[in-house]
Amino acid sequence: MRSITSRRLAVSAVLATSVVLASAVPAFAHVTVQPGTAAQGGYTAIAFRVPDESDTASTTKLEVNLPTDHPVASVATQPLPGWTVAAEKTKLAAPIKTDDGDEITEAVTKITWTADAGTKIAPGQFQEFRVSLGPLPTDTDKVVFKALQTYDDGNVVRWIDESAAGQPEPAHPAPVLTLTKAASEGAADGHQMTATAQAAPAASTSSSDSTARTLGIVGIVVGVIGTALGVLGLRRRSGSQS
């Protein structure tokens, strides 16, 4: 009877561990925007973080589509050794008016990074593709970037699904940049990336806090398992002595 009870305790501890770890460790395998927030109307620098999810194939191309319903007038890419980048522009249905009174009639709507010979994102690795853009829209609370990730085995993963409030996250969510209200009128200078300066430390702090919480939970779970196994061992010894 004691042996059965001990086994039940051990099984319960293992099940508890599985549930806690499943809820504590977030999914890092999606293509995401880093940092994930910026101020409306400002300029910022972001990075598209691309992990390689395949066990056997490597990533050799990334295509990012910028929204045409909320176009961005200025888009610049940061050179990345080993990758060739190309930006495609599209004529806008409605011109964008700049702070200087000029009109922008076309905007970048697609950016493609292609790996040079000998370059790739191998399984278990990730790469970041950096872009500077602005001014960001003021009539929406997010910018959705639909991305296509191509592997060297011909497989293409389409990160284009938009998440809906109250619904489970889709299998291949599109990268999203959340836009927040500017601190005050005129606070965002068109030639300064204040949003990035504010968002980057916050993202770093959030990441550190998340890591600390995860490690703390893992430590608690390990302690629970150790206690359960210790009880199991003591009861076995007690049973054998009797």
Side-chain angles (χ1 to χ4, degrees):
M1 188 67 178
R2 291 179 178 175
S3 179
I4 294 175
T5 302
S6 299
R7 289 197 193 97
R8 287 178 178 174
L9 285 172
V11 170
S12 298
V14 172
L15 290 176
T17 302
S18 300
V19 172
V20 172
L21 289 179
S23 60
V25 181
F28 294 110
H30 301 333
V31 173
T32 58
V33 175
Q34 302 294 329
T37 60
Q40 292 178 336
Y43 283 70
T44 190
I46 60 175
F48 294 99
R49 182 174 295 172
V50 182
D52 190 287
E53 292 186 309
S54 175
D55 293 329
T56 57
S58 299
T59 300
T60 55
K61 185 166 70 172
L62 174 68
E63 301 170 65
V64 175
N65 293 279
L66 283 68
T68 56
D69 55 343
H70 298 290
V72 180
S74 176
V75 177
T77 58
Q78 180 173 305
L80 181 63
W83 295 80
T84 299
V85 59
E88 297 181 19
K89 289 186 176 182
T90 300
K91 187 175 180 61
L92 301 176
I96 302 174
K97 291 186 178 181
T98 67
D99 294 337
D100 298 329
D102 298 329
E103 287 190 347
I104 305 297
T105 58
E106 61 179 13
V108 173
T109 54
K110 183 178 180 180
I111 306 173
T112 303
W113 287 269
T114 305
D116 299 338
T119 301
K120 61 186 178 181
I121 307 175
Q125 298 180 348
F126 76 93
Q127 183 59 267
E128 291 188 340
F129 302 85
R130 298 188 63 81
V131 176
S132 169
L133 68 169
L136 297 171
T138 56
D139 57 350
T140 182
D141 59 359
K142 65 180 179 180
V143 178
V144 179
F145 303 94
K146 296 188 176 183
L148 276 66
Q149 180 180 8
T150 301
Y151 289 85
D152 57 10
D153 62 357
N155 185 37
V156 178
V157 180
R158 300 169 61 83
W159 302 96
I160 62 173
D161 300 330
E162 295 191 40
S163 301
Q167 297 297 320
E169 184 182 62
H172 299 97
V176 175
L177 176 65
T178 300
L179 301 181
T180 60
K181 294 293 184 181
S184 61
E185 291 295 330
D189 185 343
H191 301 288
Q192 295 181 355
M193 297 179 188
T194 56
T196 300
Q198 295 173 356
S204 176
T205 301
S206 176
S207 177
S208 299
D209 291 345
S210 177
T211 300
R213 284 195 297 270
T214 299
L215 290 176
I217 292 173
V218 171
I220 293 172
V221 171
V222 170
V224 171
I225 293 176
T227 301
L229 293 177
V231 170
L232 178 59
L234 288 173
R235 295 197 173 185
R236 282 182 176 175
R237 290 176 185 173
S238 176
S240 61
Q241 291 174 358
S242 62

